[in-house]
Amino acid sequence: MISRILEDLDNALTKDPAARNRLEVLLAYPGVHAVWGFRVSHFLWRSNLKLVARIFSSWVRTATGIEIHPAATIGRRFFIDHGMGVVIGATAIIGDDVMMYHDVTLGARSYVKGKRHPTIENNVVIGAGARVIGDITIGHGARINANVVITRDIPAQSTLDSSEFFVI
């Protein structure tokens, strides 16, 4: 567990040039706190303590401004920079080494049970204000620029800028 905490701290130092040291990240980075809170709530969720998981994740949202459903799946070295307003839905899957900026939504397009939220593969960067909606896949290494609405699959290694809106 300590090694994963140190990995998260070092990941923030790598991905945020403004981060000066582990202590600063430990004490003052809500994106890191939200991921740690998610890990606790996800453990509770998997342990069939779903109400406790939801209550805890709600408390984390209040403290950080970042809402991550405890049923979501998140890989290693996930970093949320300036995280206020981030929403990650219940069936979202996020791979390893993903970076996300503030005000990003990984949301659903329907009310049906089952997979409703996006899958974000490894090494993806999602810019501020992006909306990634539905059971779609963002391919490995893709770069999503700010304020883009995405409702269909994006191939690996793609760069999607704000002039390429995909609407429902």
Side-chain angles (χ1 to χ4, degrees), residues 36-85:
W36 290 342
F38 161 76
R39 289 191 185 137
V40 171
S41 67
H42 186 68
F43 171 79
L44 294 168
W45 187 268
R46 286 190 340 241
S47 298
N48 210 28
L49 298 168
K50 294 184 179 353
L51 178 59
V52 176
R54 291 299 302 265
I55 292 167
F56 185 78
S57 68
S58 183
W59 179 83
V60 171
R61 182 191 66 217
T62 300
T64 65
I66 298 166
E67 182 175 345
I68 306 173
H69 194 284
T73 302
I74 297 177
R76 295 176 72 167
R77 296 172 302 278
F78 175 50
F79 182 60
I80 304 170
D81 197 8
H82 305 288
M84 186 63 73

Side-chain angles (χ1 to χ4, degrees), residues 115-143:
K115 181 81 166 87
R116 302 176 297 124
H117 299 91
T119 297
I120 311 298
E121 293 184 349
N122 298 339
N123 298 303
V124 171
V125 176
I126 304 176
R131 305 293 185 247
V132 185
I133 309 297
D135 180 15
I136 61 174
T137 299
I138 306 301
H140 177 91
R143 301 290 182 257

Side-chain angles (χ1 to χ4, degrees), residues 16-38:
D16 185 356
R20 297 176 300 157
N21 55 61
R22 284 179 175 169
L23 182 61
E24 180 179 45
V25 174
L26 176 73
L27 297 175
Y29 272 63
V32 174
H33 300 155
V35 171
W36 290 342
F38 161 76

Side-chain angles (χ1 to χ4, degrees), residues 87-89 92-94 100 104-108 117-118 120 126 130 132-133:
V87 176
I88 299 172
I93 299 170
I94 299 172
M100 182 180 292
V104 169
T105 298
L106 303 182
H117 299 91
I120 311 298
I126 304 176
V132 185
I133 309 297

Side-chain angles (χ1 to χ4, degrees), residues 94-165:
I94 299 172
D96 296 336
D97 300 302
V98 171
M99 180 159 177
M100 182 180 292
Y101 289 91
H102 66 279
D103 196 33
V104 169
T105 298
L106 303 182
R109 290 178 62 180
S110 71
Y111 299 110
V112 299
K113 293 205 182 279
K115 181 81 166 87
R116 302 176 297 124
H117 299 91
T119 297
I120 311 298
E121 293 184 349
N122 298 339
N123 298 303
V124 171
V125 176
I126 304 176
R131 305 293 185 247
V132 185
I133 309 297
D135 180 15
I136 61 174
T137 299
I138 306 301
H140 177 91
R143 301 290 182 257
I144 310 298
N145 288 342
N147 297 315
V148 176
V149 177
I150 302 170
T151 60
R152 67 177 176 107
D153 293 345
I154 302 299
Q157 305 302 325
S158 297
T159 299
L160 189 68
D161 69 32
S162 57
S163 66
E164 301 176 71
F165 285 83

